Amino acid sequence: MSRRAVQTDAQWERIAPLLPSDVGKPGRRFRDHRQVVEGIVYRYRTGVAWRDLPAEFGPWQTVWKRHARFSRHGTWDNVLTSLLTQADAAGEIDWAVSIDSTINRAHQHAATLPRATGANANHKNQISEPADHAIGRSRGGLSTKIHHAVDGRGRPLAVLVGPGQGGDAPMCLPVLNAIRVPRLGPGRPRTRPDSVLADKAYSSRAIRTELRRRGIVAVVPEPRDQQGNRKRRGSRGGRPVTYDIDAYRGRNVVERSFNALKHWRGLATRYDKLAITYRGGAVLAAIIVWLRD
C-alpha cells in the first residue's frame, strides 16, 4: 500500500459492495471505484485543490463529480450506516455517547456562492443544501461547525454541519436524532444511547427533559449562571442537577475524535463551496475510522 493509499484490500472488500454499480446500466462504464475513492480521501487528507490531484487517481473532474454524487445521494451515509450495523451486531459499539462540535475556518474559496446569512440551519435533511451553505460569520471570520456524536471509544455515530456562529444546544437533539443503527436481524434500528455525555453548553431544561423522556442518562454539568438562577427561585427553581462525575471524565473521547478529524487538512479548513460536499468529506473520514477499527 503506497503513501497515497489508506485502505487495505480487506478494508476495501467491506465497502466495495456498498457502492453503486454500473452493471446493466447504459452509458460509459464507471472508472474504478477504489482508485476514485482513494483520490477523494487523498484530497481531504492533504487539502490540495481538486485540480492538483495526482494523475494516478484519474481525471480530477471524475474524482470530484463522484464525491459530489455520493454526498448528494447519501451513498457515504449508507456506507457508514452499514459499518455501524456490522459493529453493533458484533457488540463493538459503546453506547455511552459523547456529543460536541468543532469550529473550522472557511477559506475564501468556500465563500463565493450567494447565501442567506443567518438562515435557519438545515437540521433534518443533510443531503439537501441549506440556504446558508453552513457558513456563518463569527468573531474569527467565516466558519463552519462540524457536530459529532461519538461512541465511548470516540468513533463517529452521527455527523452534521452548521454555521460557525450557531449554538451547540440547538443542534443537540438533531444530532442525537441522526443516530440510527439498523439491526442485522429483525427489529427496529437502535436510536437511543444508554447515556449522553456533553459539556455545559448543552445544559438546558429542554434537552434534559427530552433525554429523560427517552430514558437516556444525562451526564451534563450545570453552568454557574443556571445554578444561581435556580437558587434565587428557591423551591420553584427545582432540584439541583446531578450527574456521574466519573462517567463525565469519558467525554474526552469526542475531543480526541476531533483531533483525529483535523489531521485531514481539507476538513480542518473548509475549501468546499457546498455544505453537502464538505459534510460528505467528514462522513468519509468517519468511514475510514470504522474501517481501521
Side-chain angles (χ1 to χ4, degrees):
M1 187 170 62
S2 72
R3 176 67 179 86
R4 291 177 175 174
V6 299
Q7 300 171 85
T8 65
D9 292 340
Q11 292 170 350
W12 176 250
E13 289 174 0
R14 293 184 62 190
I15 67 172
L18 306 174
L19 300 178
S21 173
D22 60 0
V23 176
K25 296 182 179 179
R28 183 181 299 178
R29 301 297 91 187
F30 288 163
R31 180 172 287 273
D32 179 46
H33 273 323
R34 184 170 187 178
Q35 178 189 31
V36 174
V37 171
E38 291 287 8
I40 299 170
V41 173
Y42 180 85
R43 188 267 176 178
Y44 280 100
R45 282 176 52 234
T46 61
V48 300
W50 291 103
R51 293 175 181 270
D52 295 331
L53 277 175
E56 66 187 75
F57 298 121
W60 70 267
Q61 298 95 328
T62 300
V63 180
W64 180 84
K65 289 179 181 178
R66 191 78 54 88
H67 173 60
R69 184 181 301 117
F70 284 1
S71 301
R72 189 181 307 112
H73 295 172
T75 301
W76 293 136
D77 291 286
N78 293 338
V79 173
L80 178 60
T81 298
S82 179
L83 295 177
L84 293 177
T85 298
Q86 297 170 26
D88 185 54
E92 296 179 358
I93 297 181
D94 183 341
W95 286 97
V97 171
S98 296
I99 183 173
D100 207 346
S101 70
T102 184
I103 191 166
N104 303 309
R105 184 66 183 268
H107 193 269
Q108 60 183 355
H109 294 166
T112 58
L113 294 178
R115 65 183 187 279
T117 303
N120 292 330
N122 188 355
H123 294 165
K124 298 181 179 179
N125 186 5
Q126 288 294 314
I127 60 175
S128 177
E129 184 67 17
D132 59 3
H133 305 298
I135 294 178
R137 186 176 296 278
S138 56
R139 187 172 296 179
L142 297 178
S143 55
T144 293
K145 272 187 177 180
I146 296 180
H147 301 264
H148 259 190
V150 303
D151 79 333
R153 294 170 58 185
R155 299 165 300 183
L157 300 173
V159 180
L160 300 184
V161 298
Q165 87 284 358
D168 289 344
M171 286 292 287
C172 180
L173 297 182
V175 173
L176 292 179
N177 292 336
I179 299 176
R180 185 178 182 275
V181 181
R183 315 281 186 169
L184 279 181
R188 295 180 179 178
R190 176 157 187 176
T191 60
R192 185 177 64 85
D194 295 331
S195 59
V196 169
L197 289 65
D199 61 22
K200 295 178 181 179
Y202 295 89
S203 177
S204 74
R205 180 170 296 181
I207 291 175
R208 296 183 189 277
T209 300
E210 178 62 16
L211 294 180
R212 190 181 306 113
R213 185 190 69 81
R214 295 177 60 180
I216 302 172
V217 177
V219 186
V220 185
E222 187 181 31
R224 289 186 178 181
D225 61 336
Q226 293 183 10
Q227 294 177 15
N229 182 58
R230 174 174 47 77
K231 291 177 181 179
R232 283 192 299 270
R233 299 185 64 187
S235 60
R236 294 179 301 169
R239 289 177 292 184
V241 171
T242 59
Y243 67 99
D244 190 331
I245 297 178
D246 291 332
Y248 185 73
R249 293 192 179 99
R251 197 193 68 83
N252 68 86
V253 296
V254 70
E255 305 293 351
R256 300 206 306 267
S257 174
F258 286 135
N259 288 340
L261 181 76
K262 291 195 174 185
H263 287 178
W264 288 34
R265 294 170 181 257
L267 295 175
T269 300
R270 173 176 169 175
Y271 300 99
D272 295 283
K273 300 178 187 299
L274 299 179
I276 294 178
T277 53
Y278 182 69
R279 177 180 175 271
V283 175
L284 178 56
I287 291 171
I288 299 301
V289 169
W290 282 100
L291 285 176
R292 289 177 173 173
D293 213 53

